[in-house]
């Protein structure tokens, strides 16, 4: 039964304000007890204020009211009446006293004792009748009936147990009657007891039902009040002002503590919402101050408006007012819940934010907010203006998208290090714009912390300082340029006093800056140029114009040098000349080069004019752009003027296909082309010209045309032709000579053959036996004839080799057959000298080889006959053998005198013999033999080797490639 | 003497022919001299000789043609032929078709030695 004194909360009832905190005076509930009678009655019956329980109060009041009624109207007058009648009012008096006491008790907190006393009095009063001697027991039921009101009263006043106790007490008294009162028997009790039992049962049933009812109601109330309390607590605890307004008269019907604190602390018709919140006398209206109540009345929908409310102290507040309609069961708007949120602070904050935001938005600087990972979360328009990235492009990107690559990794590591430590970083950096351009910025980057001091974001404010940096760099560049310039730079004041010189000046003149500054430039004057030059110079620059010219100046060491000087006035913003600036280049070298070039040009010109060859230059189309005099002469052109501009390809005689092709070839390949042909000049002269077409490049190596060099080879050509003719004739003569030689040899050999043949026949005894002298004579004939034959053979062979007509006739042959001829040729000679001729064919030598057997025979014949010639005693050995897979050899060795080492070098030369005297002793010799061998061996791709020791003999070896028949066929096929 | 094999000498120079003839006789042959090409071709239709000494330079029909004819006719294809020439280079292509090439002037002794080698008695069967 907590909060029992509070009324249940129900917004639709008007008593509810009482449950709101004490400061609100409870609104009167219904009509106050107006009549004095009623007030008197209340005074008589009101229970003790000590009684808290409502039920108890009701019981106490009921008891008091009952007794107030019974005592003055029955018991007290009856007692007095009986007393006046002379009766002893024992029972009435006792009852009056006991009930008076009960009344008293009903007005105290011990009202229950009052109830007990009253009920006991009423219970016992009927039984007092039975004590009368005149009492008739048959009337007992009439007496007992009087206990019925008491039992009913007990049922009304008492709880179930108490009522049961009362009934039991009543029954106990009734059952005690036969014992206490004589004449009364238990049979008299039968009917009264039955009556009492029935009545008691009904009463108990009623009491029980009533008690259940009461408990149910009590539980309901308890739950309701619990809810109420809960809601109230919530409402009260809400810090937002919350109140209910009557829809009809704008009066406040309910307000929570927050609302009360703000002045909504009154009720009733006078306490209107506009009065309390706006300090107005009329409801709000108009667009500026729309009344939410009026809106809700019309729309029956919740509404939100912004109002200015005033505090108790008249302080205005900006509030956001929310209104909600409360509808009755018919759906009509009865009340409006209104709660207002103070948004003054928020408005101020918003205004601040707006202000800051405007500042940020309108800032000329780029402002960037990133999260802790460097991902961009905000950029201002300044950023977009500087970088070219729109916010959409930038947000979500990492700031490294701006990285230019100009700074090192350490630079960025340091930057992020500072930021993550919570420090502010400031510095200049180069970033890259969207279009790839680089720019300088001065950036201040700071961590943004929340209330707890945790870094939540990074803020960067960046100023584009590209222009400053560029300006700075430009100045630095300019200053470096001046310092490092190869040209001498001198700055003087208006009087010409030197204020600055650069290192190049020192380098050129030898004057250090310390020596030069403060001096006048005339210290450099050489007096090699007329004073008018200087006068003109000064007039020009004092006029404000730029002077340029070449000066001969003098160095500190007295040396002269040429310089090209540009002297200009330096003007300030107002156009007033403040200084003079001289930029001077040492052109001594250039002057020298120029002179050298001039000389060279002169040389070239002379060369061009004097050279016997014609030289002309052609452009890419073949148009003559220049020609030297010899060229004009060759072309037969009367003058340079009629030649330059002609197209060489159009000239009738020169424009042969050959020239055309040559010209194109030079342009395509950039390689010179030579050619020679007869041609008829413009004068009609026939010339044989050698023409060289050479590519013509400019100094950069670009092909600009063709240079044609013409050489008159007419005389040479004529000489050549004459020579060719002579050669032809000589060849014919040579051929004749060869033919002659062949004929001669045939004609000589044939008779020689007969001589030798017949002599041999004589010797052989065909024509009869010969005497010893005849035999010796025939031997001499054969010896001489043989030598002569060898000599003729040598001559013919050499003649053939000389004429270059020897062509090897490669045919298969048997190497062994080579040996036969030798014997035929030199056999007689060897026999005459009693020399042994030995021959040997190695078995591994192929039976058939391919080669020119005729010339191989000549080689062998020459070697063997040579050996026979120079060997006096012993043998001459011929050996044919295989050297290796690819070579075979013919070896001729003898036991002759040998060849001295020195002579071995020369023996293969034509017409040379080792020793004239010795040769004579050996008989005749052409000296051609070894030379022929040498030449033939070379022709056969062979090699010749000689091993010889003086006095012991010589061995000639001819090494030759092996060509087999099958191989030869292969080659031929 | 009828038992000696026949050597046919085709040579227009009578002195040379005489030398050939004497050398061949010395080597054991009977000899018959024919002095021009035409006559030689006619003679070759007759009895087959054991050896032919053929001069390359002949009137009417060259020795080369005669050699070709000798090798073409199956009757004479096997006959041993010695070529004689004053211009041995001309004989080089014919070497394989001949048994020997004699370089003029031909030595009597040499011919005698060579001819004896080619005598049927001295040749392997």
């Amino acid at each position: 039964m907590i909060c029992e004194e509070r009324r249940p909360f129900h917004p639709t009832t008007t008593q509810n304000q009482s449950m709101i905190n004490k400061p609100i005076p409870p609104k009167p509930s219904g009509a106050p007890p107006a009549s004095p009678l009623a007030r008197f009655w209340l005074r008589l019956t009101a229970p003790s204020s000590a009684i808290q329980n409502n039920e108890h109060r009701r019981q106490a009041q009921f008891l008091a009211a009952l007794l107030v009624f019974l005592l003055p109207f029955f018991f007290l007058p009856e007692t007095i009446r009986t007393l006046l009648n002379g009766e002893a009012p024992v029972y009435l008096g006792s009852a009056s006293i006991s009930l008076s006491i009960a009344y008293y008790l009903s007005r105290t907190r011990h009202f229950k004792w009052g109830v007990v006393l009253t009920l006991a009095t009423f219970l016992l009063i009927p039984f007092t009748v039975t004590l009368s001697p005149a009492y008739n027991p048959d009337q007992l039921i009439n007496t007992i009936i009087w206990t019925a009101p008491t039992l009913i009263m007990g049922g009304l006043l008492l709880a179930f147990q108490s009522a049961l106790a009362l009934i039991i007490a009543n029954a106990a008294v009734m059952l005690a009657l036969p014992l206490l009162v004589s004449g009364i028997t238990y049979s008299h009790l039968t009917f009264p007891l039955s009556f009492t039992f029935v009545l008691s049962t009904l009463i108990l049933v009623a009491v029980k039902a009533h008690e259940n009812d009461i408990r149910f109601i009590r539980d309901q109330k308890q739950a309701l009040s619990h809810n109420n309390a809960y809601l109230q607590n919530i409402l009260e605890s809400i810090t937002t002002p919350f109140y209910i307004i009557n829809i009809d008269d704008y009066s406040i019907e309910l307000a929570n503590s927050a609302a009360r604190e703000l002045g909504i602390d009154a009720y009733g018709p006078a306490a209107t919402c506009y009065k309390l919140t706006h300090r107005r006398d009329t409801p709000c209206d108009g667009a500026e101050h729309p009344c939410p109540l009026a809106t809700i009345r019309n729309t029956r929908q919740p509404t939100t408006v912004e109002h200015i409310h005033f505090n108790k102290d008249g302080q205005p507040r900006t509030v956001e007012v929310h209104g909600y309609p409360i509808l009755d069961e018919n759906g009509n708007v009865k009340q409006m819940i209104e709660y207002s949120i103070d948004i003054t602070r928020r408005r101020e904050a918003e205004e601040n934010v707006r202000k800051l935001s405007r500042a940020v938005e309108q800032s000329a600087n780029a402002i960037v907010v990133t999260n802790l990972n460097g991902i961009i979360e905000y950029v201002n328009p300044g950023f977009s203006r500087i970088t070219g990235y729109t916010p959409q492009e930038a947000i979500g990107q990492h700031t490294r998208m701006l990285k230019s690559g100009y700074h090192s990794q350490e630079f960025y590591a340091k930057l992020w290090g500072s930021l993550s430590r919570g420090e502010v970083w400031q510095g200049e950096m180069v970033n890259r714009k969207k279009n790839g351009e680089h720019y300088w910025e001065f950036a201040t980057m700071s961590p943004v912390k929340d209330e707890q001091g945790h870094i939540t974001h990074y803020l960067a404010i960046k100023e584009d300082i590209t222009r400053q940096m560029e300006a700075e760099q430009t100045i630095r560049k300019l200053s470096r340029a001046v310092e490092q310039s190869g040209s001498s730079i001198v700055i003087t004041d208006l009087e010409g006093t030197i204020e600055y010189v650069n290192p190049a000046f020192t380098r050129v003149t030898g004057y250090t800056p310390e020596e030069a500054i403060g001096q006048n430039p005339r210290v450099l004057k050489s007096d090699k140029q007329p004073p008018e030059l200087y006068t003109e110079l000064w007039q020009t620059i004092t006029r404000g114009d730029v002077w340029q010219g070449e000066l001969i100046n003098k160095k500190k060491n007295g040396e002269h040098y040429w310089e090209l000087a540009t002297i200009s006035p330096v003007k300030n913003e107002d156009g007033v000349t403040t200084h003079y600036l001289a930029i001077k280049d040492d052109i001594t070298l250039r002057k020298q080069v120029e002179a050298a070039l001039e000389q060279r040009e002169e040389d070239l010109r002379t060369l061009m004019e004097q050279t016997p060859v014609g030289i002309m230059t052609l452009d890419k189309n073949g148009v003559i752009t220049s020609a030297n005099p010899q060229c004009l002469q060759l072309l037969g052109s009367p003058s340079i003027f009629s030649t330059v501009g002609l197209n060489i390809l159009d000239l009738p005689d020169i424009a042969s296909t050959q020239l055309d092709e040559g010209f194109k070839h030079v342009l395509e390949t950039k390689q010179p082309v030579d050619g020679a042909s007869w041609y008829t000049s413009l004068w009609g002269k026939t010339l044989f010209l050698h023409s060289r077409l050479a590519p013509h490049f400019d100094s950069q190596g670009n092909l600009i045309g063709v240079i044609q060099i013409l050489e008159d080879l007419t005389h040479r050509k004529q000489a050549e032709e004459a020579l060719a003719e002579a050669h032809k004739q000589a060849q014919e003569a040579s051929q004749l000579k060869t033919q002659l030689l062949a004929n001669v040899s045939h004609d000589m050999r044939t008779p020689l053959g007969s001589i030798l043949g017949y002599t041999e026949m004589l010797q052989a005894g065909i024509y009869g036996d010969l005497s010893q002298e005849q035999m010796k004579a025939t031997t001499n004939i054969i010896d001489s004839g043989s030598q002569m034959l060898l000599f003729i053979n040598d001559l013919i062979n050499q003649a053939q080799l000389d004429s270059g007509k020897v062509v090897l006739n490669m045919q298969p042959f048997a190497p062994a057959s080579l040996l036969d001829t030798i014997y035929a040729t030199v056999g007689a000679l060897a026999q005459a000298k009693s020399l042994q001729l030995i021959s040997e064919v190695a078995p591994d030598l192929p039976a058939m080889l391919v080669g020119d057997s005729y010339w191989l025979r000549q080689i062998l014949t020459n070697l063997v006959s040579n050996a026979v010639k120079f060997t006096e005693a012993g043998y001459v050995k011929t050996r044919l053998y295989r050297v290796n897979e690819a070579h075979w050899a013919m070896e001729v060795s003898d036991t002759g005198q040998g060849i001295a080492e020195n002579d071995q070098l020369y023996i293969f030369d034509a017409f040379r013999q080792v020793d004239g005297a010795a040769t004579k002793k050996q008989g005749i010799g052409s000296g051609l033999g070894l030379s022929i061998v040498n030449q033939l061996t070379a022709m056969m791709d062979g090699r010749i080797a000689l091993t010889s020791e003086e006095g012991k003999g010589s061995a000639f070896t001819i090494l030759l490639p092996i060509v087999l028949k099958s191989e030869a066929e292969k080659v031929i096929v | 003497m009828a038992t000696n094999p026949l050597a046919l000498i085709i040579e227009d120079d009578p002195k040379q022919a005489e030398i050939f003839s004497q050398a061949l006789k010395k080597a054991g042959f009977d000899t018959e001299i024919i002095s021009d090409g035409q006559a030689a071709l006619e003679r070759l239709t007759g009895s087959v000789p054991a050896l032919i000494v053929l001069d390359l330079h002949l009137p009417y029909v060259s020795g080369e043609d005669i050699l070709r004819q000798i090798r073409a006719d199956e009757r004479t294809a096997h006959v041993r032929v010695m070529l004689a020439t004053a211009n041995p280079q001309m004989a080089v292509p014919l070497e394989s078709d001949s048994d020997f090439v004699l370089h003029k002037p031909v030595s009597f002794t040499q011919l005698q030695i060579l001819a004896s080698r080619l005598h049927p008695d001295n040749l392997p069967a």
Side-chain angles (χ1 to χ4, degrees):
Chain A
M1 289 305 230
I2 31 161
C3 303
E4 190 59 28
E5 78 278 17
R6 293 189 176 178
R7 305 252 172 96
F9 172 80
H10 197 278
T12 56
T13 65
T14 53
Q15 300 105 353
N16 291 331
Q17 281 71 19
S18 64
M19 63 92 184
I20 292 175
N21 279 354
K22 297 284 165 16
I24 305 182
K27 201 179 174 187
S29 57
S35 70
L37 189 66
R39 251 180 287 169
F40 181 66
W41 172 252
L42 263 180
R43 185 166 293 178
L44 286 177
T45 61
S48 162
S49 60
I51 300 170
Q52 300 284 322
N53 191 315
N54 253 13
E55 183 69 20
H56 293 174
R57 286 176 71 87
R58 196 167 56 78
Q59 285 174 354
Q61 197 171 15
F62 175 78
L63 183 62
L66 184 72
L67 292 176
V68 163
F69 195 77
L70 286 176
L71 278 170
F73 291 102
F74 176 73
F75 284 97
L76 292 177
E78 240 350 74
T79 304
I80 294 164
R81 187 185 62 84
T82 51
L83 201 60
L84 290 176
N85 284 350
E87 295 172 34
V90 181
Y91 304 114
L92 272 174
S94 328
S96 296
I97 292 163
S98 123
L99 289 175
S100 298
I101 294 166
Y103 173 69
Y104 169 75
L105 287 172
S106 76
R107 302 299 305 279
T108 70
R109 58 193 175 96
H110 305 293
F111 77 97
K112 281 188 179 169
W113 287 112
V115 171
V116 170
L117 196 59
T118 306
L119 288 175
T121 304
F122 282 124
L123 192 65
L124 292 174
I125 283 172
F127 292 106
T128 56
V129 180
T130 61
L131 294 175
S132 160
Y135 187 72
N136 180 4
D138 294 332
Q139 290 175 345
L140 188 60
I141 184 68
N142 297 330
T143 308
I144 294 299
I145 280 173
W146 282 102
T147 63
T150 310
L151 290 175
I152 291 167
M153 198 166 67
L156 288 172
L157 284 174
L158 297 174
F160 181 76
Q161 287 91 338
S162 307
L164 186 60
L166 183 67
I167 285 164
I168 290 168
N170 184 33
V173 170
M174 281 165 70
L175 289 171
L177 276 179
L179 302 172
L180 297 171
V181 182
S182 56
I184 296 174
T185 63
Y186 284 103
S187 58
H188 293 115
L189 287 174
T190 311
F191 186 63
L193 270 174
S194 304
F195 168 78
T196 306
F197 179 74
V198 171
L199 182 70
S200 301
T201 307
L202 288 172
I203 288 169
L204 283 173
V205 168
V207 167
K208 192 69 191 168
H210 178 65
E211 268 192 7
N212 283 346
D213 257 11
I214 285 175
R215 193 176 301 128
F216 177 73
I217 289 165
R218 194 183 61 208
D219 289 350
Q220 286 264 327
K221 277 184 184 167
Q222 213 164 4
L224 206 59
S225 77
H226 194 75
N227 273 344
N228 268 339
Y230 181 66
L231 277 172
Q232 265 177 351
N233 278 340
I234 290 174
L235 279 178
E236 286 297 302
S237 64
I238 290 174
T239 53
T240 308
F242 180 97
Y243 42 98
I244 293 169
I245 305 169
N246 188 309
I247 201 88
D248 298 317
D249 60 3
Y250 299 95
S251 61
I252 302 290
E253 294 194 336
L254 180 81
N256 73 349
S257 59
R260 291 193 301 275
E261 270 168 34
L262 291 171
I264 307 168
D265 53 0
Y267 298 104
T272 59
C273 60
Y274 49 84
K275 175 95 179 144
L276 292 175
T277 60
H278 299 295
R279 309 294 176 224
R280 282 164 69 110
D281 292 329
T282 52
C284 304
D285 62 355
E288 205 173 297
H289 245 190
C291 176
L293 207 62
T295 310
I296 280 186
R297 200 184 287 140
N298 294 333
T299 64
R300 306 207 291 184
Q301 294 295 324
T303 186
T304 304
V305 293
E306 209 176 292
H307 273 184
I308 304 286
H309 280 184
F310 293 89
N311 284 351
K312 273 187 207 167
D313 52 10
Q315 198 71 33
R317 305 179 288 128
T318 307
V319 290
E320 193 176 81
V321 176
H322 298 262
Y324 288 91
I326 296 173
L327 307 177
D328 65 7
E329 49 279 7
N330 302 321
N332 296 320
V333 181
K334 289 202 67 180
Q335 292 168 311
M336 183 183 81
I337 296 176
E338 188 174 288
Y339 67 88
S340 59
I341 300 164
D342 190 343
I343 54 169
T344 312
R345 203 91 51 84
R346 196 170 89 192
R347 277 278 168 272
E348 282 169 10
E350 275 174 6
E351 185 52 37
N352 272 340
V353 166
R354 244 197 307 279
K355 240 181 331 205
L356 282 173
S357 161
R358 266 199 303 275
V360 167
E361 291 281 321
Q362 292 168 13
S363 169
N365 294 338
I367 296 173
V368 180
V369 179
T370 73
N371 68 10
L372 295 185
N373 296 323
I375 304 296
I376 296 172
E377 293 191 347
Y378 170 82
V379 298
N380 74 339
F383 174 87
S384 298
R385 205 166 46 243
I386 292 172
T387 65
Y389 287 105
T390 63
Q392 288 80 7
E393 289 167 335
I395 289 167
Q397 298 292 321
H398 195 276
T399 49
R400 75 170 73 90
M401 75 170 180
L402 298 171
K403 243 169 126 171
S404 62
Y406 180 90
H407 303 287
S408 64
Q409 288 295 97
E410 292 76 56
F411 177 87
Y412 291 103
K414 231 166 151 185
L415 188 163
W416 284 105
S418 309
L419 286 180
S420 55
R421 279 195 303 276
E423 294 164 11
V424 173
W425 183 89
Q426 228 172 24
E428 290 166 355
M429 62 196 293
V430 177
N431 273 347
R432 202 186 56 197
K433 295 183 183 184
K434 187 184 171 188
N435 61 12
E437 220 172 275
H438 287 189
Y439 68 97
W440 274 97
E441 62 179 24
F442 178 77
T444 304
M445 301 195 190
S446 40
V448 180
K449 297 175 184 171
D450 63 10
E451 293 80 24
Q452 279 79 44
H454 299 308
I455 300 172
T456 60
H457 291 85
Y458 296 123
L459 169 72
I461 301 173
K462 301 134 154 273
E463 193 184 342
D464 186 351
I465 54 163
T466 308
R467 221 173 287 171
Q468 290 99 293
M469 288 304 284
E470 278 174 357
E472 227 173 87
Q473 273 178 340
T474 304
I475 288 171
R476 224 175 297 151
K477 209 154 52 187
L478 284 175
S479 122
R480 263 203 307 274
V482 167
E483 284 286 326
Q484 295 169 14
S485 169
S487 308
S488 303
I489 294 174
V490 179
I491 299 174
T492 72
D493 64 12
L494 293 180
E495 275 73 47
T497 308
I498 294 173
E499 289 189 352
Y500 172 83
V501 296
N502 74 342
F505 174 87
T506 307
R507 211 159 47 236
V508 172
T509 64
Y511 290 105
T512 63
E514 292 75 30
E515 292 167 332
I517 290 168
Q519 294 290 326
N520 191 290
R522 76 172 70 92
V523 298
L524 301 169
K525 246 168 109 174
S526 67
D527 295 329
K528 288 219 166 190
Q529 282 168 313
E532 295 81 42
L533 184 81
Y534 297 96
T535 315
E536 191 244 324
L537 188 165
W538 276 104
Q539 279 172 351
T540 307
I541 60 174
T542 47
R543 223 179 21 245
D545 290 339
V546 176
W547 184 90
Q548 197 172 45
E550 293 178 355
L551 298 171
I552 304 173
N553 276 349
K554 199 169 65 185
K555 297 186 182 184
K556 189 180 169 189
N557 63 9
E559 211 176 289
H560 286 108
Y561 67 98
W562 274 96
E563 64 179 18
L564 173 69
T566 304
I567 302 172
S568 44
V570 180
K571 295 173 185 173
N572 65 12
E573 297 81 38
D574 304 322
V576 178
T577 302
T578 58
H579 292 84
Y580 294 117
L581 168 72
I583 301 173
K584 293 133 56 109
D585 286 306
D586 186 348
I587 54 166
T588 311
L589 194 64
R590 198 187 83 192
K591 283 277 177 190
Q592 287 167 355
V593 170
E594 271 174 11
L597 271 176
E598 270 167 33
Q599 182 57 48
R600 203 176 149 77
E601 208 169 305
E602 179 59 27
D603 293 350
L604 266 178
R605 199 180 56 77
T606 311
L607 197 63
M608 289 284 278
E609 278 174 11
Q610 300 303 324
T611 183
V613 298
I615 300 172
M616 61 178 149
T617 55
L618 310 169
D619 69 9
K620 285 185 179 177
N621 299 317
V623 174
I624 300 171
T625 49
S626 74
N628 72 343
Q630 178 64 16
C631 183
L632 299 180
Q633 204 184 333
L634 289 175
L635 291 175
S637 186
S639 76
I640 184 79
F641 306 108
S642 58
T643 309
V644 168
L646 284 178
N647 193 316
I648 189 86
L649 302 175
D650 292 339
L651 293 178
D653 247 9
I654 288 188
S656 61
T657 322
Q658 206 184 340
L659 178 69
D660 203 10
E661 279 172 7
F663 188 76
K664 280 180 191 156
H665 191 261
V666 172
L667 289 182
E668 275 168 23
T669 64
K670 300 184 181 176
Q671 297 293 325
V673 170
D674 286 294
S677 65
W678 287 100
Y679 115 103
T680 309
S681 80
L682 293 176
W683 291 102
K685 195 175 170 190
T686 301
L687 297 170
F688 185 80
L689 292 184
H690 173 267
S691 152
R692 163 166 281 223
L693 293 168
H696 187 195
F697 299 104
D698 65 10
S699 56
Q700 268 77 51
N702 301 314
L703 185 70
I704 55 169
V706 171
I707 295 177
Q708 183 165 30
I709 301 161
L710 293 171
E711 196 177 351
D712 184 358
L713 297 182
T714 312
H715 295 300
R716 197 195 291 179
K717 182 70 182 168
Q718 285 165 349
E720 270 176 16
E721 281 175 359
L723 197 66
E725 185 57 32
H727 183 67
K728 201 176 149 200
Q729 286 170 0
Q731 267 191 323
E732 282 168 8
S734 167
Q735 215 145 19
L736 284 173
K737 186 184 80 182
T738 307
Q739 188 58 47
L740 184 72
L741 203 61
N743 291 343
V744 165
S745 71
H746 182 263
D747 293 351
M748 282 173 81
R749 274 174 177 160
T750 305
L752 192 58
S754 295
I755 293 167
L756 286 169
Y758 278 99
T759 314
E760 279 180 275
M761 284 198 284
L762 279 176
Q763 228 177 17
I766 301 288
Y767 303 110
D769 292 335
L770 298 185
S771 69
Q772 207 173 347
E773 283 74 22
Q774 284 170 326
M775 200 62 147
K776 197 177 175 190
T778 53
T779 301
N780 282 338
I781 294 170
I782 289 169
D783 191 22
S784 301
S786 295
Q787 284 190 25
M788 187 171 172
L789 185 61
L790 285 172
F791 182 59
I792 292 169
N793 284 346
D794 278 354
L795 272 184
I796 292 169
N797 288 338
Q798 188 59 50
Q800 276 182 308
L801 286 169
D802 284 350
S803 68
K805 288 210 164 163
V806 173
V807 176
L808 294 178
N809 192 345
M810 304 296 276
Q811 294 292 333
F813 70 98
S817 73
L818 299 175
L819 299 169
D820 298 333
T821 345
I822 302 160
Y823 291 97
T825 332
V826 299
L829 279 174
Q831 213 174 0
K833 293 174 98 170
S834 303
L835 289 177
Q836 209 184 341
L837 282 180
I838 307 170
S839 62
E840 194 180 303
V841 180
D844 61 343
L845 187 69
M848 292 298 283
L849 287 169
V850 174
D852 191 319
S853 57
Y854 172 74
W855 291 112
L856 286 168
R857 277 194 185 97
Q858 288 306 323
I859 291 171
L860 215 46
T861 307
N862 284 0
L863 288 176
V864 174
S865 62
N866 228 31
V868 169
K869 229 188 282 178
F870 293 102
T871 305
E872 294 307 316
Y875 62 86
V876 171
K877 183 180 173 185
T878 307
R879 190 161 77 99
L880 306 185
Y881 63 99
R882 185 172 193 154
V883 178
N884 53 34
E885 275 304 299
H887 296 90
W888 65 288
M890 305 190 293
E891 184 192 86
V892 177
S893 52
D894 61 46
T895 52
Q897 62 194 41
I899 303 162
E901 220 169 299
N902 281 344
D903 296 328
Q904 289 181 13
L905 293 171
Y906 308 111
I907 56 164
F908 295 107
D909 292 354
F911 303 109
R912 188 187 275 266
Q913 283 184 337
V914 170
D915 181 277
T919 311
K920 276 186 196 108
K921 207 164 76 188
Q922 303 306 323
I924 57 161
S926 65
L928 287 171
L930 285 176
S931 166
I932 290 168
V933 167
N934 199 19
Q935 292 172 65
L936 290 172
T937 307
M939 280 178 75
M940 291 173 179
D941 295 329
R943 277 198 348 251
I944 195 162
L946 164 63
T947 55
S948 180
E949 208 177 322
E950 241 178 319
K952 291 206 172 163
S954 311
F956 287 87
T957 307
I958 308 295
L959 189 72
L960 293 161
I962 291 179
V963 183
L964 297 172
K965 195 179 174 189
S966 54
E967 288 169 19
E969 276 167 3
K970 267 187 233 155
V971 171
I972 290 159
V973 167
Chain B
M1 298 291 276
T3 53
N4 281 346
L6 177 68
L8 203 58
I9 297 161
I10 307 170
E11 167 63 68
D12 61 332
D13 177 14
K15 285 179 213 141
Q16 190 64 58
E18 168 73 6
I19 296 167
F20 286 165
S21 180
Q22 291 299 339
L24 291 169
K25 279 177 184 163
K26 196 116 203 268
F29 286 91
D30 283 348
T31 61
E32 182 183 339
I33 295 168
I34 297 160
S35 57
D36 73 70
Q38 189 57 48
L41 285 179
E42 281 163 18
R43 167 64 188 83
L44 281 173
T45 58
S47 64
V48 177
L51 175 69
I52 299 173
V53 176
L54 176 62
D55 183 22
L56 281 179
H57 191 75
L58 289 170
Y60 312 127
V61 179
S62 76
E64 200 180 327
D65 291 341
I66 293 168
L67 177 63
R68 204 168 293 126
Q69 178 61 41
I70 291 167
R71 292 300 178 221
D73 187 341
E74 59 176 25
R75 284 169 61 248
T76 55
H78 66 279
V79 177
R80 312 249 163 200
V81 178
M82 298 174 92
L83 291 177
T85 174
N87 192 357
Q89 281 168 273
M90 280 178 63
V92 170
L94 305 172
E95 262 199 52
S96 56
D97 274 340
S98 59
D99 295 278
F100 206 85
V101 178
L102 300 168
H103 293 179
K104 284 184 173 179
V106 179
S107 153
F108 172 86
T109 319
Q110 185 197 0
L111 181 56
Q112 185 200 327
I113 295 166
L114 289 172
S116 354
R117 276 197 223 154
L118 294 177
H119 192 281
D121 292 350
N122 301 327
L123 285 170

